[in-house]
Amino acid sequence: MGGSAVVRVLRDPTAGRYLAGVVVSGFGTSAMWLTAGIWVKSLTGSNSLAALTVCAMWAPVLAGPALGALADRMDRRTLLVRVNLAMACLLGTLVLVGSGRTVWLVFVVLVLYGASGVVLDAAESALVAGTVHVSLLADFNGLRMTANEGMKLVAPLAGAGLYARFGGPAVALLDAATCALAALIFARLPVREAPRHRMGAWRGELLAGLRRIRASAVLRPLVTAGAATMLLAGVNGAVTFAYVDDVLGRSPEYAGVLYAVQGAGSVAVGLLVGPLLRRLPERMFAAGGMALFALAVGARTLPQDGVALAASAAIGFGLPCVLIATMTAVQRETPDAVLARTAATAGSLMTAPNAVALALGAGLVAVVDVRVLTAVGGAAGLLAAALLAAGAAPRRTAPASASGPASEPGATPASGHAGEHGPASPQP
């Protein structure tokens, strides 16, 4: 059944082309993400500035509600095309960077890159919810996760190799080319969107997504669980090098092996999430993912290499469960008029704790034994998973206001077969 659902998603002209755009743009983004730090380090000799490249790309997440509101005010397919083209042009300016005096341009572009990513994610979530049938949203979001994580396994190596041979500008031009190609793919999406309803003042509209999440008995616990999971994930990520050194007794390069295994776990869960969510209530699925993640973090108190590899795979498998379940529920539960803002707000609420925890963990690891941090993190994660599972309710049918082509007025698929998948599925 799961394989059949995946085939149906890939055969859908809108979903298939959108996933192609995700693969193309994800390759360029993943290559640039690693190369930017290497580039800044080589130009300035500063580890701090190199670390700030990641912060520059993450910082715009905090402006998610405002950037999501932009996606609710405009034609979303047009926005996907224009933002990708704008980023292609901006990335092209990085050919001017050749010394420490011009490195500021890298940070300007990275901040704008991060902001564009928030806008694109919000627009994409809303557009997909209106074109992919609600019964296949989980399968689609799982495939999107697989595509993204798959690119993270190969693109950073390709970017590093290109940088070593031709320098930073070559990687920037590669990323610019992938943005331009993604814009072309998105321009050919066979969708027709209804005119956007006139919205009120910006100030009142920015909180619409937050109000929607707070008022929803489905979304509120899932977003809270996602934020808690990402908080623990941030601490876990911050202690990785200390774990490799102090617990495993390995060189820092071994962290790359663990990250690769973790990525493989995320690729696997992306293929299985659809069938699993057809059999489990969304909160039980998310709670199971949290529990697996927490057990894996706690297992990092043990010094065996086999345990380390198994724990990394389990982290990669368990962590995305909460995020996929939450974002799929957002797409299903939210009306089109506020969907982009709600998706962006949920994303901000879940990812901001990760950035805070990365800084907190970096400080804690200097004064607390890494085994204590992983044991406490694992216990906290198991407690949070138990609390989430305790409130799980029996599966129910999707509400009439849910997004999806069967009930969503905001966008309609041009292929005209939206109803072929049957009634709306209860899974998120």
Side-chain angles (χ1 to χ4, degrees), residues 64-66 68-70 72-73 197-212 337-338 340-342 345:
L70 177 64
D72 277 332
R73 286 175 173 260
H197 296 293
R198 184 175 179 83
M199 297 170 61
W202 272 94
R203 182 175 297 179
E205 295 297 333
L206 294 183
L207 298 178
L210 181 60
R211 290 195 296 267
R212 183 75 188 178
V338 294
R341 275 166 292 171
T342 305
T345 300

Side-chain angles (χ1 to χ4, degrees), residues 62-78:
L62 299 176
L67 296 171
L70 177 64
D72 277 332
R73 286 175 173 260
M74 296 181 60
D75 180 276
R76 288 154 183 161
R77 182 179 62 175
T78 301

Side-chain angles (χ1 to χ4, degrees), residues 350-376:
M350 289 190 294
T351 53
N354 184 261
V356 173
L358 283 169
L360 178 64
L364 286 175
V365 77
V367 295
V368 181
D369 188 279
V370 64
R371 296 172 183 84
V372 174
L373 292 176
T374 54
V376 171

Side-chain angles (χ1 to χ4, degrees), residues 101-118:
R101 291 189 300 175
T102 53
V103 77
W104 61 269
L105 185 57
V106 175
F107 287 96
V108 171
V109 171
L110 290 178
V111 170
L112 294 174
Y113 203 151
S116 73
V118 176

